[in-house]
Structures are given as structure tokens and as C-alpha cells.
Amino acid sequence: MLEQINVDYFILLTALLLIIGVLTTKFSTRLGVPALVLFLLVGMIMGSDGLGLIHFNNPKLAQLIGILALVVILFEGGLQTKWSSVRAVATPSLSLATLGVLLTTVVVAVAAKLIFDISWLEGLLFGAIVGSTDAAAIFAVLKGQNIRDRLSSTLEAESGTNDPMAVFLTLSLIELMTIESPFYYLLVGSFIWQMGMGLFLGFLFGRFAGYAINKINLDSSGLYPIFALAFALLTYSLSDLIGASGLLAVYIAALVIGNGDLTYRHSIFRFNEGFAWMMQILMFIILGLLVFPSQFLSFDIIVKGLLLSVILIFIARPIAVSLSTINMGFGVKEKVFLSWAGLKGAVPIVLATFPMTMGLENSQLFFNVVFFVVLTSALIQGSTISIVAEKLGLHGPKKVEAPHTLELVSIGKANAEIIEYEVNEQSTITGQKLKELNFPKDVLISAIIRTGDLLTPHGDTIIKTEDILYILVSKKSKKELKDFLNKRKDVVNHSDCEISKE
């Protein structure tokens, strides 16, 4: 009977935490505070030093949940990222993700050594833990913001690819602190292996996952999102088992999958978006439960943590951005914004659990200070990103998103599906009537969304720029339709000129 009560109590608490977490996102929007801050506060209030409803002090379990959540969040972020946007900012993003993290680590290390009177290795460990821009925080804060594409794409690509660098530096420094005769020169080879194999395996698993999702007919369309998520977990675990960067592999695999020809795309995207939110809520609440406010809100931690935060935000990050983006086309205002948008979030807190699980001296100090730094970063930077972008004049054109989503509801063995296509100025179908278009066989325009309104298409309907078409097509004609839609006006006109010359 007692076991049943404990199970019911656990399920009730889980339900309450999820409900509170979801409602919290609504309040975060109104208050202008990142949701992650409120999730952490919920965990702290529910924990031992708060209401005492949940007694949690298990760093290993928190670490496991944190890593699992990061895999899901990175996978969802990669699925939503357009390769064309990433390719345009690949150089600055990778520079920020590697050299930027390294420079931040060094500057913070000097500050940490002086502030906390610790060893150089411990100072470097502090810097490595807080050196990366957090993907969960960036994806959440930038979503829906109309910040210039180049800046938002740079931040998203940086945050998606810099976690492996932070993880590598953190684990390497812990290893150097725990073994008697460290081999420093082996770190270079380890770094090349982790990043190189992470990239390769991510691309390989991404291609294989996309092929499997499109080719295997499952009995229910609801199985496709689970199938895709399973590949994300498989990519991380197999990459990590051979010593490669699992987080990097997951992000690259998601990029490949999301930018490929994918069946049941909307189902996969919406499922992973919801699941990523759930994991984000769970992760931050668990990390909040792991904190004891009576310890990290002591006068000593507040003063020293605030000083370290100031150095990180106003000195370390700007230096890292300035030096790692030299001659990459960013103006002063853009560098200021990139510096300000270096948000800290789940990754530093998860990384701060590693010293605790390894039994390092000062591990509790590491965790408390890192937690305070993350809270400070999220509150100060996260709540003002949009304001800073506006003051610097870095807002871009309002992003047009499909206000409606349609998907063919059927079993997986159906021989047709609905695809979504947004008409742009270079589309060959722009300005033409539907009856004039020479669509492939087995194609039907089911609906058109124009400026938020749903139109019923007919033969005399003229296609306009920014129209969103929902097209019913048989699977055998899908490739032919995409080739037809992807023709550009400039290419067609050029071909016509060549024919005329002949």
C-alpha cells in the first residue's frame, strides 16, 4: 500500500510540475523573462530548501536527465534550422564555437583564480564550464524574434556546435586534475577525433535516418516522429561510445534530416518541438531541485558570483567575439549584439555536475557559482536581447510563418501526402493562373494561405508571392513536383535566351 502511495505521489508531482512548467512559459512572455529562469525557480521552490515537496540530491541522475534533454533540444533545433542560413554563417559560427569558447575560458580562468583563490586548472575548469553559449536558451529566446537573419543564424549555429567544445574542455581538465601523470599532447589528437568523427557520424546517421524514414512504410503516421527521435538517441550513443562528440553528431544529423526530402515532416517537427519543450521543463526543474538556495545565495557567493558574471558578460565574451570574428564582415554594432547574446543556460549547470560526480575538491563551490552565473546571464541578457537589438537597429524584416498547418491524416502505407510550399519572387509559378500551370500528374492544390486567410483554389486563382500552397501529390510524383516548383525565373529566362540565340 505504501509503494502505491509513493507511485501516485510521484505521478501527481510530475503532472503538477509539467502543468506549472507550461503555464510558466505564458508568464515568462508577459514578464519578458526567459522561461528557463522560471523553470529553475519552480525547482528551487519545490525542493528541500523551499516547500520541501521534493527531496532531490542526486547529481548523477540530474546529469543523465540533462544530457538526454540536451540531445532532444539539439535535435529539435537542428531540424528547424535551414541549411542555407547555416552555410552562409558557417565560418563565424565555427570560429565562435571553438576559438570563442577557448578565449572565454582563458579570460574567465584568470578572473576565477583571482576571485576564488584557486589553482590554475580549477580556474580553467570554471572557464570551460561557462564558456559556451547555450543552445536551449538561444533557441527559446530567439524564436519569434525578427532579428537580422545573419545574426540569429550565427547565434543558433554557434550554440548548436559549441557545446562539444565546452564538454571536451571540461572533461579534459577534470582528467588532468585527477590523473597523476597527464599527457597534454594527447588532448590535440583527442579534440580532432571527437570533432571530426562527430561531424562525419552526424552526416552519416542523418543521411541514413532520412532514407529510412522515407522508405520504410510504418503502420501509423504517429510512429514516424518516434522513429526520427530514436535515430537522434542512436546517433548520440554510438558516437559517444567510440569517443566522438555525440552532441555535435546529433545536431549535424538533425540538420541533414531537416533539410532533406522528408515524409510526414510536420508530424515529426511538431512532435519533437513539443517533446523538446517537455524535456526543457523537466531538465531545468530538476537542475533547480539540485540547488540549495541557502548555499548559493550566501553573501560570499552572491558577491563573487556577481563579479565573475560581470567579467564574463562585459569582458570575456566581447573579447572572444571580437577576436574570433576578425575580417568576417561584422560591424561594431553586430559584434556588440553577438557579445550580449552569449546566453548561459542548461549546459553550464549540467557540466557543473561532472566535478560533483567525480568527487573533486570545491565541486559544490563550482556548482553554486555556475548556477548563480547562469541565473544572472538569463535574467540580464536573456530578458533584454530584443531591446538591445532594437536599440542597435538590428531588427530584420518581420518573419513570415505559415499560420496554418495541414497534413494528410492516414496510415503510413498511404500512397499520397500533402506538402507545403511557400511562393517566392523567383518561383516560376508566381503571377500565373492555376489552370495555366503544367503540374505533373497526380497533383492537386488543396488550399492556399494568403496573408493569414485560407483561400479555396480554382482555375482562375492567380499565384502571388508569399502565398503558402498545400499540395496533394502521389508519392511517385513527389520528386517531379519538387523539381517543377524549384525552377527559378532567372534560370528559365536564361534558358529561353539560349534557345532564341540558336
Side-chain angles (χ1 to χ4, degrees):
M1 181 66 179
L2 184 60
E3 274 188 27
Q4 184 64 39
I5 292 174
N6 288 335
V7 170
D8 292 341
Y9 180 69
F10 174 78
I11 293 173
L12 175 62
L13 280 176
T14 303
L16 289 175
L17 288 176
L18 287 175
I19 291 170
I20 292 170
V22 172
L23 294 177
T24 294
T25 60
K26 187 71 175 177
F27 288 113
S28 72
T29 303
R30 290 184 177 181
L31 296 173
V33 177
L36 68 91
V37 174
L38 300 183
F39 296 154
L40 289 170
L41 291 177
V42 168
M44 291 163 60
I45 292 169
M46 294 286 187
S48 303
D49 267 11
L51 299 176
L53 296 176
I54 305 174
H55 298 278
F56 183 80
N57 189 21
N58 191 332
K60 286 188 176 180
L61 179 58
Q63 188 181 106
L64 174 62
I65 294 172
I67 291 173
L68 182 61
L70 288 175
V71 170
V72 175
I73 291 166
L74 280 173
F75 185 66
E76 191 269 337
L79 285 177
Q80 301 282 0
T81 302
K82 293 182 180 179
W83 171 241
S84 57
S85 301
V86 172
R87 182 173 53 195
V89 296
T91 301
S93 297
L94 290 176
S95 181
L96 285 167
T98 50
L99 179 60
V101 173
L102 188 60
L103 290 170
T104 303
T105 298
V106 172
V107 176
V108 173
V110 175
K113 176 173 173 53
L114 296 175
I115 294 170
F116 298 102
D117 191 25
I118 53 180
S119 68
W120 278 112
L121 279 179
E122 287 177 318
L124 287 169
L125 184 56
F126 253 121
I129 289 174
V130 299
S132 66
T133 300
D134 187 67
I138 287 294
F139 292 150
V141 171
L142 292 185
K143 188 170 289 185
Q145 302 284 353
N146 61 326
I147 293 164
R148 286 183 188 175
D149 282 341
R150 188 170 186 239
L151 292 174
S152 58
S153 297
T154 299
L155 287 168
E156 288 175 356
E158 178 204 356
S159 65
T161 54
N162 71 358
D163 291 343
M165 182 68 174
V167 172
F168 167 76
L169 288 174
T170 300
L171 296 181
S172 297
L173 287 165
I174 290 175
E175 186 177 347
L176 293 176
M177 294 168 66
T178 53
I179 61 178
E180 293 183 2
S181 302
F183 297 97
Y184 294 96
Y185 60 88
L186 292 179
L187 293 179
V188 177
S190 176
F191 174 77
I192 295 172
W193 170 264
Q194 287 190 37
M195 301 306 161
M197 285 303 295
L199 285 168
F200 173 74
L201 291 176
F203 178 79
L204 188 67
F205 278 114
R207 291 296 297 269
F208 178 71
Y211 177 83
I213 292 169
N214 288 330
K215 292 298 181 182
I216 298 177
N217 285 328
L218 301 175
D219 291 333
S220 170
S221 59
L223 292 173
Y224 285 91
I226 300 173
F227 197 39
L229 181 61
F231 276 110
L233 299 175
L234 181 69
T235 300
Y236 174 83
S237 56
L238 291 182
S239 300
D240 204 55
L241 281 173
I242 66 168
S245 175
L247 294 177
L248 179 60
V250 167
Y251 185 70
I252 298 301
L255 271 177
V256 174
I257 295 170
N259 286 276
D261 187 14
L262 194 65
T263 189
Y264 291 100
R265 173 180 293 271
H266 287 300
S267 294
I268 292 172
F269 279 30
R270 295 290 80 80
F271 172 85
N272 279 284
E273 183 180 14
F275 194 59
W277 268 111
M278 188 180 80
M279 293 305 295
Q280 191 174 158
I281 292 170
L282 181 63
M283 172 178 63
F284 283 116
I285 289 177
I286 290 292
L287 294 175
L289 288 172
L290 194 60
V291 173
F292 292 88
S294 59
Q295 295 178 9
F296 100 94
L297 289 179
S298 66
F299 180 77
D300 188 56
I301 293 294
I302 290 175
V303 173
K304 292 181 178 179
L306 191 59
L307 180 57
L308 190 66
S309 296
V310 169
I311 292 171
L312 173 62
I313 295 171
F314 294 100
I315 299 176
R317 173 69 178 178
I319 288 175
V321 169
S322 298
L323 295 180
S324 56
T325 58
I326 292 175
N327 297 327
M328 294 185 186
F330 289 105
V332 175
K333 289 183 177 180
E334 291 174 317
K335 288 187 178 183
V336 169
F337 179 77
L338 289 174
S339 300
W340 190 254
L343 293 181
K344 310 306 168 189
V347 173
I349 302 177
V350 172
L351 290 179
T353 64
F354 282 94
M356 298 176 74
T357 57
M358 298 295 289
L360 290 185
E361 187 182 359
N362 295 323
S363 60
Q364 191 62 52
L365 172 67
F366 276 81
F367 188 83
N368 290 335
V369 173
V370 167
F371 192 89
F372 186 84
V373 168
V374 168
L375 270 183
T376 307
S377 171
L379 281 170
I380 297 175
Q381 295 171 282
S383 59
T384 57
I385 276 186
S386 182
I387 297 171
V388 170
E390 185 179 355
K391 294 294 184 183
L392 294 172
L394 298 176
H395 274 156
K398 190 175 181 180
K399 295 179 180 178
V400 179
E401 294 183 2
H404 305 274
T405 296
L406 301 178
E407 183 131 27
L408 188 62
V409 180
S410 62
I411 63 173
K413 295 181 180 179
N415 64 350
E417 60 182 278
I418 288 181
I419 67 170
E420 179 185 270
Y421 176 76
E422 184 175 340
V423 181
N424 56 60
E425 293 179 356
Q426 293 300 324
S427 301
T428 56
I429 64 175
T430 304
Q432 297 192 51
K433 293 181 179 179
L434 282 182
K435 64 183 180 182
E436 297 172 347
L437 297 175
N438 188 23
F439 277 118
K441 188 180 178 182
D442 301 327
V443 170
L444 177 66
I445 306 293
S446 302
I448 299 176
I449 307 297
R450 181 175 295 164
T451 61
D453 295 325
L454 177 65
L455 304 182
T456 302
H458 51 80
D460 291 322
T461 300
I462 299 175
I463 304 298
K464 297 183 178 181
T465 302
E466 295 186 356
D467 278 358
I468 298 168
L469 312 182
Y470 289 94
I471 309 171
L472 179 64
V473 57
S474 65
K475 288 187 176 180
K476 64 181 180 181
S477 300
K478 185 177 177 182
K479 185 179 185 306
E480 189 180 353
L481 172 64
K482 291 207 166 186
D483 290 340
F484 174 80
L485 293 174
N486 288 333
K487 287 180 181 177
R488 293 166 56 89
K489 276 185 178 180
D490 51 359
V491 175
V492 174
N493 293 338
H494 179 71
S495 300
D496 291 341
C497 291
E498 293 295 327
I499 294 170
S500 299
K501 288 178 182 179
E502 292 177 1

